[in-house]
Amino acid sequence: MDSLSKCQIESALAARLPSYKITCTLHADGTLSAILSGPETDHFAITGIVRANYRGAEAIARLANEILREMVMSRQGIRSSRLQAPPDHIPRE
């Protein structure tokens, strides 16, 4: 992936994640940041992707899968924190 242009990376990720608009930024240190804008107000940002770690034809597919896993874990964390009572609302004995 380190030889792909910004547009090529965006297009390849968009093909794997069709529900999202992908906006990438390539950084001078060889990393990549991606913002995924989904339906309604669903947004997700990931930074510090080391482009050299994603070489070969399978790289974009692997990156898309990793992004999806991070999104799922993030959503699960948000949901579980919403279900927990704030510390000041703990019943006292």
Side-chain angles (χ1 to χ4, degrees):
M1 183 171 73
D2 54 344
S3 63
L4 297 177
S5 72
K6 175 183 179 282
C7 290
Q8 289 171 316
I9 295 169
E10 289 172 345
S11 295
L13 285 172
R16 298 275 180 178
L17 304 165
S19 298
Y20 291 88
K21 177 184 180 287
I22 313 290
T23 305
C24 293
T25 303
L26 305 180
H27 303 284
D29 66 356
T31 62
L32 165 76
S33 297
I35 298 174
L36 290 80
S37 301
E40 300 171 26
T41 59
D42 189 21
H43 299 286
F44 188 80
I46 187 163
T47 61
I49 301 165
V50 179
R51 294 172 66 206
N53 291 345
Y54 297 91
R55 297 180 190 264
E58 302 85 25
I60 293 291
R62 191 178 69 202
L63 177 58
N65 286 335
E66 290 172 8
I67 289 171
L68 282 172
R69 273 194 300 263
E70 289 294 327
M71 291 169 70
V72 168
M73 289 190 318
S74 175
R75 286 185 185 127
Q76 287 173 345
I78 290 170
R79 281 189 204 122
S80 67
S81 68
R82 287 180 186 161
L83 296 175
Q84 295 174 359
D88 60 339
H89 288 89
I90 296 173
R92 295 190 182 134
E93 295 181 26

